[in-house]
Amino acid sequence: MSCWRFGDTLERDGFKAAVLLFDREDRELNVIDEEVLDELETRLDELKETKADALLVGSGKSQHFCAGADVDLIASIDDAARGAEAAARGQAVLGRLRRLSIPTIAVINGACVGGGTELALWCWGRVASTDDAVRIGLPEVKLGIVPGFGGTQLLPRVVGLKNALTLASTGRLVPARTAKRLGLVDAVVEEAYLFAEAFDRARALAKSRQPPAVRSATHLPGVADLMLAVARNQARKVAGPHYPAPDQALRLCRKALSTSLKKGCQEEARQLGRLLVTPTCRSLLHVNDLQRKAPKGTAPDERAGVAVLGAGVMGSGIAGVTLAAGHPARLCELDPGALSKGVNGTRKVVDRALRRRASKTRHAAHDRLSWSLGPSGLQSVDLVVEAIVEDEGIKKKVLAGLEEDVTPDCLLATNTSSLSVTSLATALQRPERFLGIHFFNPVPKMPLVEVIPGPDTSPETMERGVGWVRALKKVPVVVADSPGFLVNRILMPYLAEALRLHGEGVSVEDVDKAAQHFGMPMGPFRLLDEVGLDVASKVAATFAAAFPGRFAAAPVLDQLVKAGRLGKKNGKGFYDYRKGRRRGPWSGLPDAENQQEREHLQDRLILRMANEGLLCLEEQVAARPDDVDLATVFGLGFPPFRGGLHRHVETVGASRVRDRLLELAELEGPRFSPCTYLNQMSESES
Amino acid sequence: MSPARRRGRRAVLVAGRRTPFCKAGGVFEPLSAPDLGRIALTELLLRSGVGADEIDAVVFGCAGSPADAANPARVIALRSGLDHRTPALTVQRNCASGMEAIVQALRLVEGGEAQVVACGGMESMSNYPIVFPRSYRRRLGKLARSKSVGAKISTALSFRARDFKPEIALLQGLTDPTCGLSMGQTAEVLARELGIGRDEQDAHAVLSHQRAAKAAERLAAEIVPVVSPGAKTTITADDAVRPEQSVAQLAKLRPVFARQRGTVTPGNACSVTDGACALLVADEAWAEKRGLTPLARLVTHSVAGVAPERMGLGPAAALPRALKSAGWTLDELGLVEINEAFAVQVLACVKVLADAELMKTHADWPEALGELSHDRLNVSGGAIALGHPVGVSGARIVLRLAHDLNERGLEKGAASLCVGGGQGQAVLLERPADWGTA
């Protein structure tokens, strides 16, 4: 198989620059694996015979340079020594790009990520195109590891310690212009001039016979140590205690200044191997894997459009992500005031989503937006999503009316969160093209979308629905039509338990801190404030009705709502807010005299949620354990380093979870009784 | 019979949509002419169900092309998702630019060059530029060429306050550079020479507002809602109409173009508004095959020149020529639209059309055409109520005429405009009784 090929050699005034193009025949993206390294070695051997004066390393793909090391390959290594070995092999082969006696220039025409950036860093120089697709950086820390192909050692040598510390610890991907400012690339030119620029740079470097080095005052030992200390502090604050990789990346960058490249690389490889086998890294790899392997479905036509009925926050969010993803969107709404608010809201979503893109990209997205008072002009759309008021009668009427307005093969979807897809489907003459596509609020930020079949939904409709979710750059999870679907169903016991704790006199802050300490992005009470207490109260009532005896309605919520406390939206919830910033818990809450151990609080919150998640598997609301993991990580912010709810139970041990639940059931009541699925899990475990 | 008809190619108006017309400097201020044009064209395509890929050509009128869109028709075609292979042309015949676009479309269809043409007009009177004087540009150029620091400083110091005095392009555009009169002054010429009094003008203006207000509900069929960036609500209707206005109120306004003894006031002249209108003109056979019922057939057209200082009489010169080419008479017409640049100018046209002597003098036409009564003239109101976004009105009155013919079950109609600089343009529409309702 071919991964690398020589392009036409460039020659001017007797100076010859060989062009080596990374172009995997078997994959859409250039990813680095053993074969790629082996073949690169062979090509570099062949280079000697060509007697070239320079080597330009580019990509054969359009607007894509290299996506880094193959993640499947990384995930397959479960032994620290083997991990270090693999890293060392990469360092050895890519390192030849630096050790060649002729200048090497990386020609970056698109995404250049992780191992791709390291490949470029090994070269003597780098040029990048002005294209929007260019993104350069070392995101390894986001997978719980450090760069392993020499990234931490080369980065300080190329961009200086200060920039290296930021890039390595945040894993940030930067666009071309920022890369130039940071010194990550030497020049940014339009794509058409990339190779011409690279050629001239190679020629200029040919005289010096060695790669250029950076010197900076920050590299003096005292200054460097101080900067490291500041950066580590900062990184700890951002990443929290659960992610060790950023700190390690920082230390390796500092080390690069005081050791040889060779020794530094050895240390880097060792650290990579060590981190690779940590549970954090395994969980993050699991999450990465879930995301990449989520169903693809049938992709819609590139120019296919979406119509959204209802211009509320959800509707304009859905329209906004549609536009940002490159598709036309039509926003339909009956009320002129709401339409105006929705259209302008959609424009804001687009501007925010595309803020780093060229202004022409933003303008084009705005031009793909059209609107209408009431449904009209729907003949050209491929999907209609209704996001109107949650009222079964109204929804049914609107859906039935839609059937007349759209073409026969247009998909009809409901964004309902509380009504049954099955029941809504009865309004339609052709229910086979109807499904639930449930986005979460706020739409632009929440990556997960639930895709729900009705009883008559055709397999083709499901495929296309999933394809649309993908096209909108969201992560689809297929779930059964059951009250609350999957995410809200799992979330409910967590929130209910938090409210119960509050009723028992535990302070909202203690509860929130316990959840956050576990790794949740925010505690249950802050989440309730975000959702809105009025909304939450309604949802609680729905659940109480849907699962009689299992969930009680929440009188606390009603009391707060009656007291005019609606959550963050009016600045008053469980917490007080001023200008959208949280101040402290509301003074009107009852005194909290009940102090509980953090671990006890966490168990009550998390294990009850875990039990519900497994019950969803038992009831086949979700088909596979991976779906529960995907839904909890991307839908309710379950900590990625724990790999998802099901994975968490596995990590802790199913029998331990069951035993603890039995204890809690004894203490607190039958709501903690382990479900059959958990009992089976723990049996098969032993 | 024209050669085109012998070949059986006849142009029909298939569909049309326009934005509301809103007062300049008002709610549409954030939207440029191409922004408005893009909305009208996009909605035309979506609501008619005709695909962007079915359009063979695009022709739009725009009297004041913005500096950042030299050919705005091309800009809105691409921005509305039309293929880059579809050519686009912007036409400028001042006040008749929107009608000129329709005429171009008609010619393309009759000549067999295109089957389906998107045409119309767009104008943002709000966004006419403010221009620096020529002296400013010269000094700026000199500054750029100055090499040494000393030269730069001395050039910089040579700027005078008058160099910075802005000129308003809109006002310049409304003044005829050959006869030196502003459009309002040409209206005063007509009032003086044809003896049309202030009362008569004000009465016509009130009628225009009343008719526009009464028609507002029917206008919903042609208007698409616009959401202006940052606006509190969706704009669904024209905002310059004043249904409550009385002749007594209008009488209080002072003349602006001849302050002492003039008759033309802001109340009996068209207001300045922003807007866009997009129409679909197609080969009749194509529309039939596509299953679309046209609004009207575009029968013929004409354009004629008149004296620049009496530019308001353009329709009196254009109408007889169009009627002759169709073999029609004025009496046969069920409805007539004469764009209301000024009340006096519409009344003057009516007067001239009925008088053989005046026709000879002003329209270079040997005979009178007859009486044109108010009950078939501008029946849904006109530019005095809705405003006159210069490059759009021609398209708007053709669309309105087609709808009015449909609504009243009438067969023949004419639309005409006077043009700054001294021209008149007219288009004749026909709606055979055996067509179904569009």
Side-chain angles (χ1 to χ4, degrees):
Chain A
M1 185 203 55
S2 158
C3 310
W4 296 91
R5 59 184 168 84
F6 280 107
D8 292 337
T9 300
L10 303 176
E11 185 172 0
R12 207 174 64 216
D13 305 335
F15 188 85
K16 268 168 53 179
V19 173
L20 184 56
L21 298 173
F22 192 1
D23 191 2
R24 288 194 71 142
E25 269 183 343
D26 58 332
R27 303 262 196 124
E28 220 176 295
L29 299 178
N30 287 330
V31 294
I32 302 175
D33 56 19
E34 284 159 47
E35 216 177 330
V36 168
L37 292 174
D38 292 345
E39 209 183 303
L40 177 60
E41 208 166 31
T42 318
R43 293 282 171 276
L44 292 178
D45 287 336
E46 289 166 11
L47 183 67
K48 281 179 199 147
E49 293 151 32
T50 64
K51 299 215 170 102
D53 302 302
L55 174 67
L56 312 182
V57 186
S59 158
K61 311 276 188 203
S62 153
Q63 296 175 330
H64 168 80
F65 184 73
C66 172
D70 186 355
V71 182
D72 285 328
L73 187 73
I74 300 176
S76 72
I77 301 173
D78 49 9
D79 172 75
R82 266 191 59 214
E85 221 171 89
R89 168 73 181 150
Q91 292 167 356
V93 177
L94 298 182
R96 287 185 61 181
L97 291 169
R98 191 178 173 91
R99 293 190 296 271
L100 281 176
S101 54
I102 55 171
T104 48
I105 308 282
V107 184
I108 302 166
N109 64 332
C112 170
V113 178
T117 300
E118 291 173 298
L119 187 158
L121 285 169
W122 282 108
C123 292
W124 290 24
R126 286 147 296 279
V127 297
S129 88
T130 50
D131 198 281
D132 258 359
V134 172
R135 287 284 181 279
I136 310 174
L138 296 166
E140 283 86 348
V141 291
K142 291 183 176 165
L143 285 178
I145 50 175
V146 289
F149 291 162
T152 62
Q153 301 307 298
L154 293 162
L155 208 49
R157 288 177 162 85
V158 172
V159 301
L161 183 64
K162 183 167 155 270
N163 293 338
L165 291 176
T166 329
L167 285 167
S169 67
T170 59
R172 217 177 109 207
L173 298 180
V174 296
R177 219 154 289 161
T178 316
K180 169 85 172 64
R181 190 164 47 76
L182 296 175
L184 204 47
V185 298
D186 308 308
V188 176
V189 296
E190 279 158 52
E191 198 184 343
Y193 303 126
L194 264 181
F195 279 92
E197 178 70 27
F199 183 93
D200 289 347
R201 298 226 155 229
R203 213 168 156 181
L205 286 177
K207 288 164 204 145
S208 70
R209 307 221 141 260
Q210 60 178 4
V214 182
R215 277 176 229 292
S216 160
T218 60
H219 294 185
L220 295 169
V223 183
D225 287 333
L226 189 68
M227 285 180 66
L228 175 68
V230 172
R232 287 180 69 181
N233 234 328
Q234 176 85 19
R236 215 169 296 138
K237 257 186 229 152
V238 175
H242 304 292
Y243 297 88
D247 190 63
Q248 194 54 252
L250 288 173
R251 288 172 50 183
L252 285 165
C253 283
R254 167 66 186 87
K255 203 164 194 125
L257 300 181
S258 45
T259 44
S260 69
L261 187 53
K262 198 174 161 197
K263 281 223 174 101
C265 279
Q266 281 169 358
E267 174 64 9
E268 183 193 78
R270 213 173 59 79
Q271 291 298 344
L272 170 72
R274 196 180 62 80
L275 287 168
L276 200 50
V277 293
T278 56
T280 300
C281 174
R282 304 321 294 182
S283 293
L284 291 172
L285 284 168
H286 171 62
V287 170
N288 183 284
D289 197 50
L290 290 175
Q291 190 178 12
R292 282 188 303 134
K293 294 185 182 157
K296 301 260 185 300
T298 315
D301 189 75
E302 243 175 62
R303 292 180 67 179
V306 178
V308 182
L309 306 191
V313 180
M314 291 306 283
S316 47
I318 298 168
V321 298
T322 305
L323 296 167
H327 291 273
R330 186 164 180 82
L331 196 55
C332 306
E333 162 70 51
L334 284 173
D335 176 64
L339 178 64
S340 167
K341 212 172 152 198
V343 167
N344 281 317
T346 304
R347 289 171 174 153
K348 268 193 207 126
V349 170
V350 170
D351 284 342
R352 210 165 302 152
L354 301 177
R355 65 187 178 283
R356 295 192 204 286
R357 308 292 297 273
S359 63
K360 65 168 185 195
T361 313
R362 266 195 310 278
H363 290 156
H366 281 286
D367 282 346
R368 284 191 296 271
L369 173 63
S370 69
W371 53 83
S372 147
L373 282 168
S376 82
L378 302 180
Q379 285 290 311
S380 60
V381 299
D382 189 58
L383 165 69
V384 182
V385 183
E386 70 77 15
I388 57 173
V389 61
E390 289 277 285
D391 177 303
E392 185 161 342
I394 298 177
K395 274 196 201 284
K396 278 185 173 170
K397 214 170 118 193
V398 168
L399 285 167
L402 269 182
E403 277 192 306
E404 316 254 304
D405 297 333
V406 299
T407 53
D409 53 357
C410 175
L411 295 184
L412 300 180
T414 173
N415 183 51
T416 186
S417 56
S418 60
L419 300 171
S420 148
V421 175
T422 308
S423 156
L424 291 175
T426 58
L428 296 170
Q429 289 176 349
R430 291 189 46 220
E432 64 271 18
R433 56 152 154 188
F434 175 67
L435 75 170
I437 299 186
H438 181 219
F439 290 82
F440 293 89
N441 190 15
V443 178
K445 279 194 189 153
M446 297 297 286
L448 191 82
V449 172
E450 292 172 322
V451 184
I452 307 116
D456 302 311
T457 307
S458 73
E460 190 219 333
T461 298
M462 284 306 285
E463 285 292 301
R464 284 173 61 201
V466 165
W468 260 114
V469 172
R470 277 279 179 158
L472 303 186
K473 315 227 160 97
K474 298 286 178 193
V475 185
V477 59
V478 175
V479 302
D481 184 23
S482 149
F485 307 128
L486 184 59
V487 170
N488 287 341
R489 167 84 180 273
I490 295 176
L491 187 63
M492 212 48 211
Y494 167 76
L495 296 178
E497 198 58 29
L499 290 169
R500 212 176 242 273
L501 284 166
H502 172 70
E504 290 170 15
V506 182
S507 81
V508 294
E509 274 181 308
D510 280 358
V511 175
D512 275 2
K513 270 188 198 146
Q516 261 186 301
H517 187 261
F518 178 79
M520 300 300 285
M522 62 176 80
F525 291 104
R526 268 185 65 196
L527 182 60
L528 283 165
D529 278 356
E530 291 280 337
V531 170
L533 301 189
D534 49 342
V535 178
S537 153
K538 263 185 220 152
V539 178
T542 319
F543 269 86
F547 302 96
R550 292 206 43 230
F551 296 106
V556 203
L557 289 177
D558 297 333
Q559 285 161 18
L560 281 158
V561 172
K562 262 191 209 126
R565 304 195 69 86
L566 303 181
K568 197 177 173 184
K569 58 186 161 195
N570 76 345
K572 298 173 199 165
F574 283 98
Y575 294 92
D576 281 319
Y577 298 84
R578 211 154 68 214
K579 285 182 187 163
R581 299 195 67 161
R582 192 162 51 100
R583 314 297 294 185
W586 179 37
S587 53
L589 291 175
D591 284 340
E593 64 278 333
N594 188 349
Q595 293 237 341
Q596 293 281 342
E597 294 224 352
R598 180 178 279 171
E599 216 154 287
H600 179 72
L601 295 179
Q602 284 179 349
D603 282 353
R604 277 183 65 177
L605 293 168
I606 305 297
L607 295 188
R608 198 175 156 198
M609 173 159 70
N611 200 24
E612 191 72 30
L614 299 178
L615 185 63
C616 286
L617 284 168
E618 184 180 317
E619 292 177 1
Q620 298 195 319
V621 176
R624 305 169 309 149
D626 278 358
D627 290 342
V628 171
D629 285 345
L630 194 71
T632 46
V633 171
F634 293 105
L636 51 80
F638 197 83
F641 70 88
R642 298 195 191 271
L645 196 54
H646 183 269
R647 177 91 172 195
H648 176 62
V649 173
E650 277 185 334
T651 313
V652 175
S655 30
R656 267 190 64 197
V657 172
R658 184 194 55 184
D659 294 348
R660 181 73 183 124
L661 277 169
L662 284 171
E663 271 175 51
L664 285 169
E666 190 88 352
L667 271 168
E668 304 288 340
R671 65 183 186 281
F672 285 101
S673 302
C675 66
T676 315
Y677 193 94
L678 177 58
N679 285 325
Q680 283 167 356
M681 254 180 100
S682 46
E683 271 158 38
S684 60
E685 197 179 55
S686 56
Chain B
M1 193 179 262
S2 74
R5 287 201 190 175
R6 248 176 285 129
R7 285 197 302 272
R9 286 200 197 99
R10 289 198 285 196
V12 289
L13 175 60
V14 174
R17 291 284 169 174
R18 71 169 173 99
T19 69
F21 283 5
C22 292
K23 285 185 225 166
V27 67
F28 283 175
E29 190 276 335
L31 299 168
S32 68
D35 286 340
L36 290 163
R38 196 282 294 186
I39 293 170
L41 180 52
T42 302
E43 289 300 318
L44 172 73
L45 296 177
L46 287 172
R47 288 168 193 253
S48 65
V50 174
D53 51 350
E54 293 180 83
I55 309 294
D56 299 318
V58 177
V59 189
F60 268 74
C62 185
S65 293
D68 60 358
N71 178 2
R74 177 67 172 163
V75 173
I76 66 164
L78 293 174
R79 287 181 58 186
S80 302
L82 264 63
D83 193 280
H84 64 87
R85 286 169 300 190
T86 308
L89 162 72
T90 305
V91 291
Q92 216 285 21
R93 197 192 286 280
N94 257 359
C95 317
S97 300
M99 182 172 278
E100 178 61 30
I102 298 172
V103 169
Q104 293 287 341
L106 178 155
R107 284 183 178 148
L108 288 169
V109 170
E110 285 192 346
E113 283 187 64
Q115 274 194 309
V116 190
V117 184
C119 59
M122 62 189 120
E123 204 75 62
S124 173
M125 309 288 275
S126 301
N127 284 291
Y128 269 60
I130 304 284
V131 186
F132 278 110
R134 192 171 285 158
S135 59
Y136 173 83
R137 193 190 64 207
R138 287 191 183 133
R139 294 215 161 92
L140 206 64
K142 200 174 163 199
L143 187 64
R145 286 191 304 273
S146 310
K147 296 255 160 29
S148 72
V149 177
K152 273 190 208 297
I153 291 173
S154 86
T155 315
L157 291 175
S158 74
F159 278 97
R160 293 290 169 267
R162 64 173 178 276
D163 297 337
F164 297 97
K165 183 174 181 275
E167 290 164 14
I168 296 158
L170 179 61
L171 293 182
Q172 292 184 333
L174 290 176
T175 301
D176 189 313
T178 58
C179 68
L181 300 181
S182 77
M183 293 302 113
Q185 287 166 332
T186 70
E188 291 288 7
V189 171
L190 298 182
R192 246 178 4 242
E193 292 185 357
L194 296 166
I196 298 167
R198 171 80 183 262
D199 295 352
E200 218 181 322
Q201 294 181 33
D202 285 351
H204 182 85
V206 168
L207 185 66
S208 180
H209 280 285
Q210 285 171 349
R211 284 179 163 178
K214 215 174 133 196
E217 215 161 283
R218 287 182 286 124
L219 294 189
E222 65 186 55
I223 291 183
V224 292
V226 172
V227 178
S228 198
K232 283 263 180 322
T233 190
T234 307
I235 312 303
T236 55
D238 305 309
D239 75 357
V241 187
R242 297 184 295 264
E244 308 300 329
Q245 198 161 53
S246 67
V247 175
Q249 281 170 322
L250 282 186
K252 289 182 196 150
L253 296 173
R254 295 191 50 187
V256 280
F257 302 104
R259 287 186 185 271
Q260 303 309 316
R261 312 200 55 85
T263 56
V264 178
T265 69
N268 60 33
C270 64
S271 51
V272 181
T273 52
D274 300 333
C277 179
L279 309 172
L280 213 52
V281 168
D283 182 11
E284 191 169 337
W286 175 88
E288 201 172 316
K289 216 167 69 190
R290 185 72 168 61
L292 297 164
T293 308
L295 288 168
R297 188 179 286 150
L298 295 165
V299 178
T300 189
H301 65 95
S302 72
V303 62
V306 296
E309 57 274 19
R310 290 179 202 85
M311 69 93 204
L313 295 177
L319 281 170
R321 289 166 173 85
L323 289 169
K324 187 182 177 201
S325 118
W328 294 0
T329 66
L330 187 64
D331 292 341
E332 277 178 73
L333 298 179
L335 295 171
V336 176
E337 285 279 336
I338 294 180
N339 188 47
E340 296 170 347
F342 300 95
V344 64
Q345 155 265 328
V346 177
L347 298 170
C349 285
V350 172
K351 196 161 188 176
V352 171
L353 283 168
D355 186 315
E357 204 53 43
L358 291 173
M359 281 300 277
K360 258 178 238 160
T361 322
H362 295 298
D364 189 24
W365 193 258
E367 58 195 10
L369 264 64
E371 294 293 332
L372 181 54
S373 63
H374 273 297
D375 52 2
R376 53 180 180 139
L377 178 63
N378 299 356
V379 290
S380 297
I384 289 173
L386 305 179
H388 177 25
V390 176
V392 191
S393 293
R396 183 191 69 78
I397 61 172
V398 170
L399 177 61
R400 191 61 242 153
L401 177 66
H403 276 301
D404 279 333
L405 288 174
N406 270 293
E407 285 160 15
R408 286 155 203 252
L410 297 169
E411 276 196 38
K412 291 173 183 170
S416 182
L417 300 94
C418 63
V419 181
Q423 300 184 64
Q425 192 164 27
V427 166
L428 300 190
L429 298 189
E430 157 182 57
R431 199 172 182 293
D434 55 337
W435 283 6
T437 8

